[in-house]
Amino acid sequence: MRVALATEPATPGRENEDFIAATPDAVVLLDGSGTPAGSESGCTHGVAWYARTLGSTLLTSMTQSAGSLSELLAEGIKATTSLHDFTCDVSHPGSPSATVVMLRRSGDFLDWLVLADSVLILDTGQPEPTVITDDREAQVGASYRERMDSLDSTSPEHVAAHREYVETLRDHRNRDGGFWVASVDPLVAEQALTGSVPVHEVRAAALLSDGASRLVDRFHLTTWRDLLGLLGQAGPNELIRQVRTAEQSDPHGQRWPRGKTYDDAAVAYCRP
């Protein structure tokens, strides 16, 4: 595959909690679940470390093992947990976590996996591309967003409401009836969405963290089809630039209420 990558932190100088990497036959994207200021995590390493460590582990295994992507994710979570369970409280509800998207070419097929709310887009030549995302977190969170979304996103009250929102969702994380993300339990890999598609049917694929997909699914400024066109013509950096322009046009979250005014963004655009 030919792969173009771009990632950028929410603001310059801030640690990027997204991770994206690729080989000619595999791509992996993780969006680390940030810990708001004033909220405990139980981990001395942090979310960015978790996303980088799990992401690099997954990419290595995807190129060296013929196991299913679910199996590789379970093994990667187990290995990453073992690297800090002796120094950190991995049982803490705020222990670092991440969304995961994996894409691998295996012979004549593209295998894929999506866990949590990052996005995979497959252009199979149909009028509308296939868009795969796990929206269980959004469904759970919808009933807790009202106060946070009603506040000026630059205000101290919004910061406190966002922290409360994140901590409330922890009670639903990796539980039946809630939502699932990569964290410390390898069994969550069984909850991932998975599939396979013949390579010859795929014109292009895109992997997006929710900080990049918000141009479509939160801001509604373009369509998935047009987003693929943008990536094909101008590349991932231009998509992130347009996201930043939209964010800057609504700094108080009045047009598009959101937990984070600016978010880390990561994009991969692939052509088999």
Side-chain angles (χ1 to χ4, degrees), residues 1-269:
M1 294 187 293
R2 290 173 290 172
V3 184
L5 307 175
T7 185
E8 182 179 284
T11 54
R14 180 184 178 277
E15 193 168 35
N16 191 344
E17 294 175 346
D18 285 358
F19 174 88
I20 192 164
T23 72
D25 293 314
V27 189
V28 62
L29 179 150
L30 284 79
D31 181 351
S33 300
T35 302
S39 184
E40 297 295 329
S41 73
C43 178
T44 61
H45 298 89
V47 173
W49 172 88
Y50 181 82
R52 289 193 301 265
T53 303
L54 177 57
S56 57
T57 299
L58 293 176
L59 188 65
T60 299
S61 63
M62 289 166 70
T63 60
Q64 297 181 353
S65 173
S68 72
L69 297 184
S70 294
E71 292 170 342
L72 300 185
L73 177 57
E75 293 167 3
I77 292 172
K78 183 177 180 180
T80 302
T81 300
S82 71
L83 294 176
H84 72 138
D85 62 356
F86 59 95
T87 59
C88 305
D89 179 10
V90 297
S91 65
H92 192 285
S95 190
S97 62
T99 72
V100 180
V101 183
M102 302 164 70
L103 184 70
R104 178 182 66 184
R105 179 167 183 166
S106 299
D108 294 331
F109 288 86
L110 281 178
D111 302 327
W112 56 264
L113 177 149
V114 176
L115 180 66
D117 61 359
S118 289
V119 177
L120 172 66
I121 310 173
L122 299 175
D123 183 0
T124 58
Q126 301 300 314
E128 294 299 326
T130 299
V131 180
I132 305 151
T133 188
D134 179 355
D135 64 355
R136 284 174 285 190
E137 181 176 353
Q139 292 179 16
V140 171
S143 60
Y144 300 109
R145 297 187 62 98
E146 183 176 1
R147 178 171 180 271
M148 177 179 69
D149 287 345
S150 69
L151 297 167
D152 183 329
S153 60
T154 63
S155 69
E157 292 79 10
H158 182 275
V159 172
H162 179 244
R163 181 173 62 249
E164 180 181 349
Y165 172 77
V166 171
E167 293 178 348
T168 298
L169 287 193
R170 289 175 177 176
D171 294 335
H172 301 272
R173 190 178 76 171
N174 293 345
R175 295 184 180 182
D176 290 333
F179 62 93
W180 306 85
V181 292
S183 185
V184 299
D185 184 0
L187 292 178
V188 303
E190 299 175 1
Q191 301 293 330
L193 308 178
T194 59
S196 185
V197 61
V199 171
H200 73 269
E201 293 183 5
V202 181
R203 296 180 177 180
L207 292 73
L208 311 169
S209 67
D210 66 352
S213 68
R214 57 173 38 184
L215 195 70
V216 177
D217 54 23
R218 182 162 295 278
F219 299 161
H220 305 292
L221 292 176
T222 190
T223 65
W224 295 118
R225 168 58 64 196
D226 288 343
L227 183 146
L228 285 173
L230 173 67
L231 290 174
Q233 294 172 11
N237 281 303
E238 175 60 18
L239 171 58
I240 295 177
R241 188 196 69 78
Q242 292 193 19
V243 170
R244 295 289 179 249
T245 298
E247 291 169 335
Q248 291 162 5
S249 73
D250 182 39
H252 301 286
Q254 295 175 332
R255 181 178 179 185
W256 301 300
R258 53 201 189 271
K260 300 176 183 177
T261 303
Y262 304 93
D263 197 4
D264 301 336
V267 184
Y269 180 67

